[in-house]
Amino acid sequence: QSIASFKRSLKITNIQLNQWGDVRNLQGIGKGLYKMGNYQESIVFFNKSVKIANGINDKVGLKNSYEYLYMIYDQYDSIEPAFHFYKLYNLYKDSLFNKKVVSNISLSQIRYKTEQDKLLLKKEQEKKNIISLKEQEKSDLIIYFGTALIITMICFIVLMFYQLFNTKRKKAKIEVQ
C-alpha cells in the first residue's frame, strides 16, 4: 500500500518536474520493495534515485540510496558491490556530518563574536556614563564653589558698607559734639 502511495506521488512530482521529490519517492518505493524482500526490483528504484540525486547534487538522497544499495547487496553476500556502496554511503554520511559540524562551528563563532561585541559596547557605554557623571560632578562643584564665592563677596560687601556706615555715623557724632 505504501508503494502504491509513493508511485502516485512519483507521478505528481514527475509532472511538476520536482526532482527532489522524485528522489524521495523512488527511495520510498525502493524501501517498500526492500522490506518485502524484492531486492532486484528495489535495486532498480534506488539506482534511478541515485541518477537523479547526482544530477541535482542531492547529498542526502545519495547517502540514503547508497545505504540501501549497500544493505541489499549485503543480503546477497555480494561483498564487492556491498563494499563499494558502503564506502559511498560513508563518504556522503561523513560529508554531511562535517558540513553540519562546520555550520554549527560557524554559528558558534558568530554567537561568540556577537556576545563579545555586546560586551564591548556595554563597557564603552559604562565608560561614557562614568565620564558623564564625573563631568556632572565637576560642574556641580564649580557651581557650589561659585555660589559660595558670591555669597562670601556679598557678605564682605555688606560688612564693608556696614563699617562705612558706622564710621560715618561716628564722625557725625563726633562733629556734633
Side-chain angles (χ1 to χ4, degrees), residues 28-88:
I29 295 167
K31 287 177 189 177
L33 293 168
Y34 172 80
K35 288 178 182 177
M36 290 173 33
N38 191 346
Y39 301 131
Q40 285 299 323
E41 201 174 343
S42 179
I43 290 172
V44 172
F45 284 96
F46 281 115
N47 282 330
K48 286 180 183 179
S49 73
V50 165
K51 184 177 179 183
I52 296 170
N54 264 325
I56 62 171
N57 198 23
D58 178 6
K59 292 182 181 181
V60 174
L62 288 168
K63 176 192 75 84
N64 294 336
S65 293
Y66 288 142
E67 179 182 20
Y68 271 91
L69 286 168
Y70 148 69
M71 293 186 323
I72 292 167
Y73 282 107
D74 191 46
Q75 290 288 328
Y76 281 133
D77 288 330
S78 299
I79 294 174
E80 198 171 310
F83 183 64
H84 171 73
F85 288 117
Y86 179 76
K87 287 192 303 186
L88 289 171

Short mmCIF file of all heavy atoms in Angstrom, two decimals, residues 28-88:
data_model
loop_
_atom_site.label_atom_id
_atom_site.label_comp_id
_atom_site.label_asym_id
_atom_site.label_seq_id
_atom_site.Cartn_x
_atom_site.Cartn_y
_atom_site.Cartn_z
N GLY A 28 11.30 5.78 -1.50
CA GLY A 28 10.17 5.19 -0.76
C GLY A 28 9.73 3.88 -1.38
O GLY A 28 9.46 2.90 -0.68
N ILE A 29 9.66 3.86 -2.72
CA ILE A 29 9.28 2.62 -3.42
C ILE A 29 10.36 1.56 -3.18
O ILE A 29 10.04 0.39 -2.87
CB ILE A 29 9.09 2.89 -4.93
CG1 ILE A 29 7.91 3.84 -5.16
CG2 ILE A 29 8.88 1.58 -5.70
CD1 ILE A 29 7.84 4.42 -6.57
N GLY A 30 11.62 1.97 -3.31
CA GLY A 30 12.73 1.03 -3.09
C GLY A 30 12.73 0.47 -1.68
O GLY A 30 12.94 -0.74 -1.48
N LYS A 31 12.45 1.29 -0.68
CA LYS A 31 12.42 0.82 0.71
C LYS A 31 11.27 -0.18 0.90
O LYS A 31 11.45 -1.20 1.59
CB LYS A 31 12.24 2.00 1.67
CG LYS A 31 13.47 2.86 1.83
CD LYS A 31 13.17 4.05 2.74
CE LYS A 31 14.31 5.04 2.73
NZ LYS A 31 14.03 6.23 3.56
N GLY A 32 10.12 0.15 0.32
CA GLY A 32 8.98 -0.77 0.43
C GLY A 32 9.29 -2.13 -0.17
O GLY A 32 8.99 -3.17 0.42
N LEU A 33 9.90 -2.12 -1.36
CA LEU A 33 10.26 -3.38 -2.02
C LEU A 33 11.33 -4.12 -1.22
O LEU A 33 11.31 -5.35 -1.11
CB LEU A 33 10.76 -3.10 -3.45
CG LEU A 33 9.68 -2.58 -4.42
CD1 LEU A 33 10.33 -2.07 -5.70
CD2 LEU A 33 8.67 -3.68 -4.71
N TYR A 34 12.26 -3.38 -0.64
CA TYR A 34 13.32 -3.99 0.19
C TYR A 34 12.70 -4.72 1.38
O TYR A 34 13.06 -5.84 1.71
CB TYR A 34 14.30 -2.91 0.66
CG TYR A 34 15.30 -3.39 1.67
CD1 TYR A 34 16.44 -4.10 1.28
CD2 TYR A 34 15.14 -3.13 3.02
CE1 TYR A 34 17.37 -4.55 2.20
CE2 TYR A 34 16.05 -3.57 3.96
CZ TYR A 34 17.17 -4.28 3.55
OH TYR A 34 18.09 -4.72 4.46
N LYS A 35 11.75 -4.04 2.04
CA LYS A 35 11.12 -4.64 3.22
C LYS A 35 10.29 -5.87 2.85
O LYS A 35 10.13 -6.77 3.67
CB LYS A 35 10.24 -3.60 3.93
CG LYS A 35 11.06 -2.54 4.64
CD LYS A 35 10.19 -1.50 5.30
CE LYS A 35 11.06 -0.43 5.96
NZ LYS A 35 10.28 0.63 6.55
N MET A 36 9.80 -5.91 1.61
CA MET A 36 9.04 -7.08 1.15
C MET A 36 9.98 -8.19 0.67
O MET A 36 9.53 -9.29 0.34
CB MET A 36 8.09 -6.67 0.01
CG MET A 36 6.96 -5.80 0.49
SD MET A 36 5.90 -5.11 -0.81
CE MET A 36 5.88 -6.32 -2.08
N GLY A 37 11.27 -7.91 0.61
CA GLY A 37 12.24 -8.92 0.17
C GLY A 37 12.43 -8.95 -1.34
O GLY A 37 13.10 -9.84 -1.86
N ASN A 38 11.88 -8.00 -2.05
CA ASN A 38 12.02 -7.93 -3.51
C ASN A 38 13.24 -7.06 -3.82
O ASN A 38 13.13 -5.91 -4.25
CB ASN A 38 10.74 -7.33 -4.11
CG ASN A 38 10.69 -7.48 -5.61
OD1 ASN A 38 11.71 -7.78 -6.23
ND2 ASN A 38 9.53 -7.25 -6.19
N TYR A 39 14.42 -7.65 -3.62
CA TYR A 39 15.67 -6.90 -3.71
C TYR A 39 16.02 -6.46 -5.13
O TYR A 39 16.51 -5.35 -5.32
CB TYR A 39 16.82 -7.72 -3.12
CG TYR A 39 16.60 -8.11 -1.67
CD1 TYR A 39 16.77 -9.42 -1.24
CD2 TYR A 39 16.21 -7.16 -0.74
CE1 TYR A 39 16.57 -9.77 0.08
CE2 TYR A 39 16.01 -7.51 0.58
CZ TYR A 39 16.18 -8.82 1.00
OH TYR A 39 15.98 -9.15 2.30
N GLN A 40 15.79 -7.32 -6.11
CA GLN A 40 16.16 -6.99 -7.51
C GLN A 40 15.41 -5.74 -7.98
O GLN A 40 16.00 -4.83 -8.56
CB GLN A 40 15.88 -8.16 -8.46
CG GLN A 40 16.87 -9.30 -8.35
CD GLN A 40 18.28 -8.84 -8.67
OE1 GLN A 40 18.52 -8.02 -9.55
NE2 GLN A 40 19.24 -9.40 -7.95
N GLU A 41 14.11 -5.70 -7.74
CA GLU A 41 13.32 -4.54 -8.17
C GLU A 41 13.68 -3.31 -7.33
O GLU A 41 13.71 -2.18 -7.82
CB GLU A 41 11.83 -4.85 -8.05
CG GLU A 41 10.97 -3.94 -8.91
CD GLU A 41 9.51 -4.35 -8.90
OE1 GLU A 41 9.18 -5.49 -8.51
OE2 GLU A 41 8.69 -3.49 -9.28
N SER A 42 14.00 -3.52 -6.07
CA SER A 42 14.41 -2.44 -5.18
C SER A 42 15.69 -1.77 -5.70
O SER A 42 15.80 -0.54 -5.68
CB SER A 42 14.64 -3.00 -3.77
OG SER A 42 15.04 -1.99 -2.90
N ILE A 43 16.62 -2.57 -6.19
CA ILE A 43 17.88 -2.05 -6.75
C ILE A 43 17.60 -1.09 -7.91
O ILE A 43 18.21 -0.02 -8.03
CB ILE A 43 18.81 -3.20 -7.19
CG1 ILE A 43 19.36 -3.94 -5.97
CG2 ILE A 43 19.95 -2.68 -8.05
CD1 ILE A 43 20.12 -5.21 -6.30
N VAL A 44 16.64 -1.45 -8.75
CA VAL A 44 16.28 -0.62 -9.92
C VAL A 44 15.84 0.77 -9.44
O VAL A 44 16.29 1.79 -9.98
CB VAL A 44 15.18 -1.30 -10.76
CG1 VAL A 44 14.67 -0.35 -11.85
CG2 VAL A 44 15.69 -2.59 -11.38
N PHE A 45 14.98 0.84 -8.44
CA PHE A 45 14.47 2.13 -7.96
C PHE A 45 15.56 2.95 -7.26
O PHE A 45 15.63 4.17 -7.43
CB PHE A 45 13.25 1.92 -7.06
CG PHE A 45 12.01 1.60 -7.83
CD1 PHE A 45 11.61 0.28 -8.00
CD2 PHE A 45 11.25 2.61 -8.41
CE1 PHE A 45 10.48 -0.03 -8.73
CE2 PHE A 45 10.12 2.31 -9.14
CZ PHE A 45 9.73 0.99 -9.31
N PHE A 46 16.41 2.27 -6.49
CA PHE A 46 17.49 3.02 -5.83
C PHE A 46 18.50 3.54 -6.85
O PHE A 46 19.02 4.64 -6.71
CB PHE A 46 18.18 2.16 -4.76
CG PHE A 46 17.39 2.10 -3.49
CD1 PHE A 46 16.86 0.90 -3.04
CD2 PHE A 46 17.16 3.23 -2.73
CE1 PHE A 46 16.14 0.83 -1.88
CE2 PHE A 46 16.42 3.18 -1.56
CZ PHE A 46 15.91 1.97 -1.13
N ASN A 47 18.78 2.77 -7.91
CA ASN A 47 19.69 3.25 -8.95
C ASN A 47 19.11 4.47 -9.68
O ASN A 47 19.83 5.40 -10.02
CB ASN A 47 20.03 2.14 -9.94
CG ASN A 47 21.08 1.19 -9.39
OD1 ASN A 47 21.92 1.58 -8.59
ND2 ASN A 47 21.02 -0.07 -9.80
N LYS A 48 17.79 4.44 -9.92
CA LYS A 48 17.14 5.61 -10.54
C LYS A 48 17.26 6.84 -9.63
O LYS A 48 17.52 7.95 -10.09
CB LYS A 48 15.66 5.32 -10.83
CG LYS A 48 15.41 4.41 -11.99
CD LYS A 48 13.90 4.20 -12.19
CE LYS A 48 13.62 3.23 -13.32
NZ LYS A 48 12.15 3.01 -13.49
N SER A 49 17.07 6.62 -8.32
CA SER A 49 17.15 7.76 -7.39
C SER A 49 18.59 8.29 -7.32
O SER A 49 18.79 9.50 -7.23
CB SER A 49 16.66 7.37 -5.99
OG SER A 49 17.57 6.53 -5.33
N VAL A 50 19.58 7.39 -7.43
CA VAL A 50 20.98 7.83 -7.44
C VAL A 50 21.25 8.70 -8.66
O VAL A 50 21.90 9.74 -8.57
CB VAL A 50 21.95 6.61 -7.41
CG1 VAL A 50 23.37 7.01 -7.79
CG2 VAL A 50 21.93 5.95 -6.04
N LYS A 51 20.74 8.28 -9.80
CA LYS A 51 20.97 9.03 -11.05
C LYS A 51 20.40 10.45 -10.93
O LYS A 51 21.07 11.42 -11.27
CB LYS A 51 20.33 8.29 -12.22
CG LYS A 51 20.60 8.93 -13.56
CD LYS A 51 20.01 8.11 -14.70
CE LYS A 51 20.28 8.80 -16.02
NZ LYS A 51 19.68 8.09 -17.14
N ILE A 52 19.18 10.56 -10.44
CA ILE A 52 18.56 11.89 -10.31
C ILE A 52 19.25 12.71 -9.22
O ILE A 52 19.52 13.90 -9.40
CB ILE A 52 17.04 11.75 -10.01
CG1 ILE A 52 16.34 11.09 -11.20
CG2 ILE A 52 16.43 13.12 -9.73
CD1 ILE A 52 14.89 10.71 -10.91
N ALA A 53 19.55 12.07 -8.09
CA ALA A 53 20.20 12.77 -6.98
C ALA A 53 21.57 13.32 -7.41
O ALA A 53 21.95 14.42 -7.01
CB ALA A 53 20.34 11.85 -5.77
N ASN A 54 22.30 12.54 -8.21
CA ASN A 54 23.58 13.03 -8.74
C ASN A 54 23.37 14.28 -9.59
O ASN A 54 24.14 15.22 -9.53
CB ASN A 54 24.28 11.96 -9.58
CG ASN A 54 25.31 11.19 -8.79
OD1 ASN A 54 25.97 11.75 -7.92
ND2 ASN A 54 25.44 9.92 -9.08
N GLY A 55 22.33 14.25 -10.40
CA GLY A 55 22.04 15.36 -11.31
C GLY A 55 21.72 16.65 -10.58
O GLY A 55 22.00 17.74 -11.09
N ILE A 56 21.11 16.55 -9.41
CA ILE A 56 20.73 17.77 -8.66
C ILE A 56 21.62 17.98 -7.43
O ILE A 56 21.36 18.86 -6.62
CB ILE A 56 19.24 17.73 -8.26
CG1 ILE A 56 18.94 16.55 -7.33
CG2 ILE A 56 18.34 17.76 -9.46
CD1 ILE A 56 17.53 16.58 -6.72
N ASN A 57 22.68 17.18 -7.31
CA ASN A 57 23.63 17.29 -6.19
C ASN A 57 22.92 17.17 -4.84
O ASN A 57 23.15 17.95 -3.93
CB ASN A 57 24.43 18.60 -6.28
CG ASN A 57 25.67 18.55 -5.42
OD1 ASN A 57 26.18 17.48 -5.10
ND2 ASN A 57 26.17 19.71 -5.04
N ASP A 58 22.06 16.18 -4.73
CA ASP A 58 21.30 15.91 -3.50
C ASP A 58 22.08 14.91 -2.67
O ASP A 58 21.93 13.69 -2.82
CB ASP A 58 19.91 15.38 -3.87
CG ASP A 58 19.07 15.02 -2.66
OD1 ASP A 58 19.49 15.29 -1.52
OD2 ASP A 58 17.97 14.46 -2.86
N LYS A 59 22.92 15.42 -1.78
CA LYS A 59 23.80 14.55 -0.99
C LYS A 59 23.03 13.67 -0.02
O LYS A 59 23.40 12.52 0.20
CB LYS A 59 24.83 15.39 -0.26
CG LYS A 59 25.82 16.04 -1.21
CD LYS A 59 26.86 16.85 -0.49
CE LYS A 59 27.80 17.48 -1.50
NZ LYS A 59 28.85 18.25 -0.89
N VAL A 60 21.97 14.20 0.56
CA VAL A 60 21.17 13.38 1.48
C VAL A 60 20.51 12.23 0.71
O VAL A 60 20.50 11.09 1.17
CB VAL A 60 20.11 14.24 2.20
CG1 VAL A 60 19.17 13.39 3.04
CG2 VAL A 60 20.77 15.31 3.06
N GLY A 61 19.98 12.54 -0.47
CA GLY A 61 19.37 11.50 -1.30
C GLY A 61 20.39 10.44 -1.69
O GLY A 61 20.09 9.24 -1.67
N LEU A 62 21.58 10.87 -2.06
CA LEU A 62 22.64 9.91 -2.41
C LEU A 62 23.01 9.04 -1.23
O LEU A 62 23.14 7.81 -1.35
CB LEU A 62 23.88 10.65 -2.93
CG LEU A 62 23.74 11.27 -4.32
CD1 LEU A 62 24.89 12.22 -4.60
CD2 LEU A 62 23.67 10.18 -5.38
N LYS A 63 23.17 9.66 -0.07
CA LYS A 63 23.53 8.91 1.14
C LYS A 63 22.49 7.83 1.43
O LYS A 63 22.83 6.67 1.66
CB LYS A 63 23.66 9.85 2.34
CG LYS A 63 23.95 9.13 3.66
CD LYS A 63 23.78 10.03 4.86
CE LYS A 63 22.38 10.33 5.22
NZ LYS A 63 21.66 9.40 6.04
N ASN A 64 21.22 8.22 1.39
CA ASN A 64 20.14 7.26 1.70
C ASN A 64 20.07 6.12 0.68
O ASN A 64 19.91 4.96 1.04
CB ASN A 64 18.80 7.98 1.79
CG ASN A 64 18.74 8.94 2.96
OD1 ASN A 64 19.47 8.79 3.94
ND2 ASN A 64 17.89 9.95 2.85
N SER A 65 20.21 6.45 -0.59
CA SER A 65 20.15 5.41 -1.63
C SER A 65 21.35 4.48 -1.52
O SER A 65 21.20 3.26 -1.63
CB SER A 65 20.13 6.06 -3.02
OG SER A 65 18.91 6.75 -3.21
N TYR A 66 22.53 5.02 -1.31
CA TYR A 66 23.73 4.18 -1.18
C TYR A 66 23.63 3.28 0.04
O TYR A 66 24.10 2.14 0.02
CB TYR A 66 24.99 5.03 -1.10
CG TYR A 66 25.38 5.67 -2.42
CD1 TYR A 66 25.91 6.95 -2.47
CD2 TYR A 66 25.23 4.99 -3.63
CE1 TYR A 66 26.27 7.53 -3.68
CE2 TYR A 66 25.58 5.56 -4.84
CZ TYR A 66 26.10 6.84 -4.85
OH TYR A 66 26.46 7.40 -6.05
N GLU A 67 23.02 3.77 1.10
CA GLU A 67 22.87 2.94 2.29
C GLU A 67 22.01 1.71 1.98
O GLU A 67 22.37 0.58 2.34
CB GLU A 67 22.22 3.76 3.42
CG GLU A 67 21.99 2.96 4.69
CD GLU A 67 21.32 3.77 5.78
OE1 GLU A 67 20.69 4.81 5.48
OE2 GLU A 67 21.41 3.34 6.94
N TYR A 68 20.89 1.91 1.29
CA TYR A 68 20.02 0.78 0.96
C TYR A 68 20.67 -0.15 -0.07
O TYR A 68 20.54 -1.37 0.02
CB TYR A 68 18.64 1.25 0.49
CG TYR A 68 17.71 1.41 1.67
CD1 TYR A 68 17.61 2.63 2.33
CD2 TYR A 68 16.97 0.34 2.14
CE1 TYR A 68 16.77 2.77 3.42
CE2 TYR A 68 16.13 0.47 3.22
CZ TYR A 68 16.04 1.69 3.86
OH TYR A 68 15.21 1.81 4.95
N LEU A 69 21.38 0.43 -1.03
CA LEU A 69 22.07 -0.43 -2.01
C LEU A 69 23.11 -1.30 -1.31
O LEU A 69 23.26 -2.49 -1.61
CB LEU A 69 22.71 0.42 -3.11
CG LEU A 69 21.72 1.00 -4.13
CD1 LEU A 69 22.39 2.07 -4.99
CD2 LEU A 69 21.12 -0.10 -5.00
N TYR A 70 23.80 -0.71 -0.34
CA TYR A 70 24.77 -1.48 0.45
C TYR A 70 24.06 -2.61 1.19
O TYR A 70 24.51 -3.77 1.17
CB TYR A 70 25.51 -0.55 1.42
CG TYR A 70 25.91 -1.19 2.71
CD1 TYR A 70 26.91 -2.17 2.75
CD2 TYR A 70 25.29 -0.85 3.91
CE1 TYR A 70 27.26 -2.78 3.94
CE2 TYR A 70 25.65 -1.45 5.09
CZ TYR A 70 26.62 -2.41 5.10
OH TYR A 70 26.97 -3.02 6.27
N MET A 71 22.95 -2.28 1.84
CA MET A 71 22.23 -3.30 2.63
C MET A 71 21.68 -4.42 1.73
O MET A 71 21.71 -5.59 2.10
CB MET A 71 21.10 -2.65 3.44
CG MET A 71 21.63 -1.74 4.53
SD MET A 71 20.41 -1.02 5.70
CE MET A 71 19.00 -0.69 4.73
N ILE A 72 21.21 -4.05 0.52
CA ILE A 72 20.67 -5.06 -0.41
C ILE A 72 21.78 -6.01 -0.85
O ILE A 72 21.63 -7.24 -0.80
CB ILE A 72 20.01 -4.39 -1.64
CG1 ILE A 72 18.74 -3.65 -1.21
CG2 ILE A 72 19.68 -5.41 -2.71
CD1 ILE A 72 18.20 -2.70 -2.26
N TYR A 73 22.89 -5.45 -1.30
CA TYR A 73 23.99 -6.30 -1.76
C TYR A 73 24.59 -7.10 -0.62
O TYR A 73 25.09 -8.21 -0.82
CB TYR A 73 25.06 -5.46 -2.48
CG TYR A 73 24.65 -5.10 -3.89
CD1 TYR A 73 24.27 -3.80 -4.21
CD2 TYR A 73 24.61 -6.06 -4.89
CE1 TYR A 73 23.87 -3.47 -5.50
CE2 TYR A 73 24.21 -5.75 -6.18
CZ TYR A 73 23.85 -4.45 -6.47
OH TYR A 73 23.45 -4.14 -7.75
N ASP A 74 24.52 -6.56 0.58
CA ASP A 74 24.99 -7.30 1.74
C ASP A 74 24.09 -8.52 1.98
O ASP A 74 24.57 -9.58 2.39
CB ASP A 74 25.00 -6.38 2.97
CG ASP A 74 25.71 -7.01 4.14
OD1 ASP A 74 26.82 -7.55 3.94
OD2 ASP A 74 25.18 -6.94 5.28
N GLN A 75 22.78 -8.39 1.71
CA GLN A 75 21.84 -9.51 1.84
C GLN A 75 22.21 -10.64 0.86
O GLN A 75 22.02 -11.81 1.15
CB GLN A 75 20.40 -9.05 1.55
CG GLN A 75 19.81 -8.16 2.61
CD GLN A 75 19.47 -8.91 3.88
OE1 GLN A 75 19.11 -10.10 3.86
NE2 GLN A 75 19.62 -8.23 5.01
N TYR A 76 22.68 -10.24 -0.32
CA TYR A 76 23.05 -11.22 -1.35
C TYR A 76 24.44 -11.80 -1.12
O TYR A 76 24.89 -12.64 -1.88
CB TYR A 76 23.06 -10.55 -2.74
CG TYR A 76 21.72 -10.38 -3.37
CD1 TYR A 76 21.36 -9.16 -3.94
CD2 TYR A 76 20.80 -11.42 -3.43
CE1 TYR A 76 20.14 -8.98 -4.55
CE2 TYR A 76 19.57 -11.25 -4.04
CZ TYR A 76 19.25 -10.03 -4.59
OH TYR A 76 18.04 -9.86 -5.19
N ASP A 77 25.13 -11.32 -0.12
CA ASP A 77 26.52 -11.70 0.12
C ASP A 77 27.41 -11.34 -1.06
O ASP A 77 28.40 -12.01 -1.35
CB ASP A 77 26.66 -13.20 0.44
CG ASP A 77 26.13 -13.54 1.83
OD1 ASP A 77 26.21 -12.65 2.71
OD2 ASP A 77 25.63 -14.66 2.01
N SER A 78 27.04 -10.26 -1.75
CA SER A 78 27.87 -9.73 -2.84
C SER A 78 28.81 -8.71 -2.22
O SER A 78 28.50 -7.52 -2.12
CB SER A 78 27.01 -9.08 -3.92
OG SER A 78 26.13 -10.02 -4.48
N ILE A 79 29.96 -9.20 -1.78
CA ILE A 79 30.86 -8.39 -0.98
C ILE A 79 31.39 -7.18 -1.75
O ILE A 79 31.42 -6.07 -1.21
CB ILE A 79 32.03 -9.25 -0.45
CG1 ILE A 79 31.45 -10.28 0.52
CG2 ILE A 79 33.07 -8.40 0.22
CD1 ILE A 79 32.43 -11.29 1.00
N GLU A 80 31.79 -7.35 -2.98
CA GLU A 80 32.39 -6.25 -3.73
C GLU A 80 31.41 -5.09 -3.93
O GLU A 80 31.73 -3.95 -3.60
CB GLU A 80 32.95 -6.75 -5.07
CG GLU A 80 33.93 -5.78 -5.67
CD GLU A 80 34.64 -6.39 -6.87
OE1 GLU A 80 35.15 -7.53 -6.76
OE2 GLU A 80 34.64 -5.71 -7.90
N PRO A 81 30.20 -5.33 -4.50
CA PRO A 81 29.27 -4.19 -4.64
C PRO A 81 28.81 -3.64 -3.28
O PRO A 81 28.64 -2.44 -3.12
CB PRO A 81 28.09 -4.75 -5.41
CG PRO A 81 28.40 -6.14 -5.77
CD PRO A 81 29.68 -6.53 -5.12
N ALA A 82 28.65 -4.53 -2.30
CA ALA A 82 28.23 -4.08 -0.96
C ALA A 82 29.28 -3.13 -0.39
O ALA A 82 28.95 -2.07 0.13
CB ALA A 82 28.02 -5.27 -0.03
N PHE A 83 30.55 -3.51 -0.51
CA PHE A 83 31.63 -2.67 0.00
C PHE A 83 31.70 -1.35 -0.77
O PHE A 83 31.90 -0.30 -0.17
CB PHE A 83 32.97 -3.42 -0.10
CG PHE A 83 34.12 -2.66 0.48
CD1 PHE A 83 34.16 -2.35 1.84
CD2 PHE A 83 35.17 -2.24 -0.32
CE1 PHE A 83 35.22 -1.64 2.38
CE2 PHE A 83 36.22 -1.53 0.21
CZ PHE A 83 36.26 -1.23 1.56
N HIS A 84 31.50 -1.39 -2.08
CA HIS A 84 31.51 -0.19 -2.91
C HIS A 84 30.43 0.80 -2.43
O HIS A 84 30.71 1.99 -2.22
CB HIS A 84 31.29 -0.56 -4.39
CG HIS A 84 31.06 0.60 -5.28
ND1 HIS A 84 32.06 1.48 -5.64
CD2 HIS A 84 29.92 1.06 -5.88
CE1 HIS A 84 31.56 2.42 -6.42
NE2 HIS A 84 30.26 2.17 -6.59
N PHE A 85 29.21 0.30 -2.26
CA PHE A 85 28.12 1.18 -1.83
C PHE A 85 28.29 1.60 -0.37
O PHE A 85 27.89 2.70 0.01
CB PHE A 85 26.76 0.52 -2.08
CG PHE A 85 26.41 0.48 -3.54
CD1 PHE A 85 26.24 -0.72 -4.20
CD2 PHE A 85 26.26 1.65 -4.27
CE1 PHE A 85 25.92 -0.77 -5.55
CE2 PHE A 85 25.93 1.62 -5.62
CZ PHE A 85 25.78 0.41 -6.26
N TYR A 86 28.89 0.74 0.44
CA TYR A 86 29.15 1.11 1.84
C TYR A 86 30.13 2.27 1.90
O TYR A 86 29.94 3.21 2.68
CB TYR A 86 29.70 -0.10 2.61
CG TYR A 86 30.01 0.21 4.04
CD1 TYR A 86 28.99 0.35 4.98
CD2 TYR A 86 31.33 0.39 4.47
CE1 TYR A 86 29.26 0.65 6.30
CE2 TYR A 86 31.61 0.69 5.79
CZ TYR A 86 30.58 0.82 6.70
OH TYR A 86 30.85 1.13 8.01
N LYS A 87 31.19 2.24 1.07
CA LYS A 87 32.15 3.35 1.02
C LYS A 87 31.46 4.64 0.58
O LYS A 87 31.70 5.71 1.15
CB LYS A 87 33.32 3.02 0.10
CG LYS A 87 34.29 1.99 0.64
CD LYS A 87 35.57 1.88 -0.14
CE LYS A 87 35.35 1.56 -1.59
NZ LYS A 87 36.58 1.31 -2.35
N LEU A 88 30.61 4.54 -0.45
CA LEU A 88 29.90 5.73 -0.92
C LEU A 88 28.95 6.27 0.16
O LEU A 88 28.86 7.48 0.38
CB LEU A 88 29.14 5.43 -2.21
CG LEU A 88 29.99 5.20 -3.46
CD1 LEU A 88 29.14 4.68 -4.60
CD2 LEU A 88 30.68 6.50 -3.86
#
